Amino acid sequence: MATPRISAYLPPDIDPTKAALAFGRRALPKLKEELQSPELLTQQRALMALCDLVHDPEKVYQAVALGFLGSLKTLLVHQDQTVRQKTTEVLSVMALHSIGREGLIQSGVISALTGLLDDPVDICRKNTHQTFDMLAKLPAGAGGVLRAGLIPSLVLKLKTELDEIQELILDTLSNCLRVEVSEALAAGVLTVLKEKLSHPSAAIRSKAAWVLLEISSHAEGKVAVCNEGVIPVLVSLLEDTEPEVQVNSAGALMFAIVTPQGRSSAMGAEAIPPLLALVAEETSKARLNAIKTLTLLAELPEGRETLLGHRDAFQRCLLHPSQAVQRAAETAIAVIDWKP
């Protein structure tokens, strides 16, 4: 399905080829002066030059050391959309480098970027969410997003943002909710994710299932997933046409049904047949998750009774080249064969 893409093209009156670049050791100090210039065109050209330079990790290190981040934070609220666009682009490129991520986190850029969530320019919002995504990959960055109180806003934006920005939000949430889920649950994240599991985009369905996996890794998340009726939707996605959606859905299901309520919900949703299909499929990337999920269902008397008739499927997995699959199959067989 074709979707509109966010354009990063600049207005026609801005010519990046005319950006004045200083060379040698004075390049970055000169650009810092130009960023603080009262002349709009000078600021724009300095930002375009800086965008090119910060692809180099050494220049990122120098920019952080020279205090560029303070100037860039100030420019985030500039009235000119080109300034905001290039400023957010600089930050998103700096966030690609480890030294840049550390500098952005320590300088409080996360809080400074919160005002861009409602920016009228699509590319500014996309750059902002790309920065959040990269920073949240670090524990300190995920903690920074949580401390900034961004989770309710991210959940809200997940309802309305463009598809490619939704993907970035889901990536950010997956890292943040690995740390803490209470705030997201209170913000209604499960209702939103349940809707995203039916999204036309396979990437969004897959990422939504991954966020549910992270939520279900917490005790309160497991209970909430069961109470919100998410498990039947995850079961339906086991037959999705996209392998990544199957993998993440099976993984989320595996975490969610650790509780007795979760196992009962999965049995009620008739999870065993599609899980067995994934176990039997030679090329299935979801096979390991499916085996582990079926092992949990085998702990129920009715699950064990059903799976006794499919013991051969697990027996064949003992010959799988992956040792993880072999071990999971051995465990599954032992649970299925157990007699009270």
Side-chain angles (χ1 to χ4, degrees), residues 88-89 91-93 95-96 113 123-137 164-165 168-169 172:
T88 55
E89 183 179 339
L91 293 174
S92 67
V93 174
L96 295 174
L113 282 169
I123 188 61
C124 290
R125 301 197 311 279
K126 181 181 178 182
N127 289 338
T128 296
H129 284 289
Q130 283 179 327
T131 304
F132 286 152
D133 173 29
M134 292 305 301
L135 296 183
K137 295 181 188 300
E164 55 187 298
I165 295 180
L168 293 168
I169 293 173
T172 301

Side-chain angles (χ1 to χ4, degrees), residues 174-185:
S174 68
N175 286 304
C176 293
L177 301 191
R178 185 177 305 158
V179 179
E180 203 274 332
V181 297
S182 298
E183 197 173 15
L185 293 175

Side-chain angles (χ1 to χ4, degrees), residues 9-328:
Y9 287 115
L10 294 166
D13 58 327
I14 303 298
D15 185 358
T17 64
K18 295 181 180 178
L21 269 176
F23 293 94
R25 295 176 60 186
R26 292 200 46 178
L28 284 171
K30 178 65 174 176
L31 285 179
K32 187 179 180 184
E33 291 178 13
E34 293 175 351
L35 288 181
Q36 298 167 341
S37 169
E39 296 183 7
L40 177 61
L41 191 57
T42 299
Q43 289 179 322
Q44 292 173 338
R45 289 175 174 173
L47 284 166
M48 281 180 257
L50 188 58
C51 278
D52 290 333
L53 290 174
V54 294
H55 283 86
D56 180 352
E58 178 62 28
K59 293 296 190 293
V60 174
Y61 173 81
Q62 293 174 14
V64 172
L66 287 169
F68 265 75
L69 292 175
S71 300
L72 293 171
K73 284 165 62 178
T74 301
L75 294 176
L76 288 173
V77 295
H78 202 288
Q79 291 184 344
D80 181 70
Q81 73 173 58
T82 301
V83 170
R84 297 197 310 279
Q85 173 183 337
K86 300 309 290 185
T87 302
T88 55
E89 183 179 339
V90 169
L91 293 174
S92 67
V93 174
M94 291 180 74
L96 295 174
H97 308 287
S98 60
I99 186 65
R101 288 193 290 272
E102 293 172 5
L104 266 61
I105 292 168
Q106 293 173 5
S107 66
V109 162
I110 291 175
S111 296
L113 282 169
T114 57
L116 277 294
L117 293 178
D118 294 312
D119 196 284
V121 181
D122 293 345
I123 188 61
C124 290
R125 301 197 311 279
K126 181 181 178 182
N127 289 338
T128 296
H129 284 289
Q130 283 179 327
T131 304
F132 286 152
D133 173 29
M134 292 305 301
L135 296 183
K137 295 181 188 300
L138 295 179
V145 172
L146 289 163
R147 285 191 299 275
L150 271 170
I151 298 301
S153 296
L154 293 178
V155 172
L156 182 64
K157 291 300 178 183
L158 198 52
K159 300 178 184 179
T160 58
E161 268 295 4
L162 301 171
D163 285 2
E164 55 187 298
I165 295 180
Q166 286 184 39
E167 292 181 31
L168 293 168
I169 293 173
L170 289 167
D171 286 337
T172 301
L173 286 174
S174 68
N175 286 304
C176 293
L177 301 191
R178 185 177 305 158
V179 179
E180 203 274 332
V181 297
S182 298
E183 197 173 15
L185 293 175
V189 69
L190 290 179
T191 301
V192 181
L193 291 174
K194 189 176 178 181
E195 294 174 358
K196 297 305 172 185
L197 291 177
S198 303
H199 197 280
S201 164
I204 289 178
R205 293 197 305 276
S206 175
K207 291 175 185 290
W210 185 260
V211 176
L212 283 166
L213 184 154
E214 297 293 356
I215 291 174
S216 298
S217 68
H218 299 265
E220 62 181 308
K222 290 178 173 61
V223 174
V225 166
C226 292
N227 291 340
E228 289 291 331
V230 177
I231 287 178
V233 185
L234 290 172
V235 170
S236 69
L237 289 179
L238 296 174
E239 298 177 293
D240 197 276
T241 55
E242 292 293 331
E244 287 301 321
V245 177
Q246 293 179 342
V247 172
N248 293 342
S249 298
L253 200 59
M254 175 182 66
F255 277 93
I257 69 169
V258 167
T259 65
Q261 182 186 359
R263 287 195 286 271
S264 296
S265 180
M267 289 298 293
E270 299 183 352
I272 288 181
L275 287 168
L276 282 171
L278 292 175
V279 172
E281 187 181 333
E282 290 297 327
T283 59
S284 173
K285 296 170 65 177
R287 174 180 274 183
L288 180 59
N289 288 342
I291 294 172
K292 292 182 177 181
T293 306
L294 285 168
T295 303
L296 290 168
L297 294 179
E299 294 179 359
L300 296 176
E302 60 270 34
R304 185 180 302 111
E305 182 180 354
T306 300
L307 291 171
L308 275 170
H310 298 276
R311 193 176 180 279
D312 289 350
F314 299 96
Q315 198 73 37
R316 286 192 292 272
C317 291
L318 297 176
L319 303 176
H320 195 276
S322 167
Q323 291 188 356
V325 171
Q326 292 176 25
R327 289 194 297 268

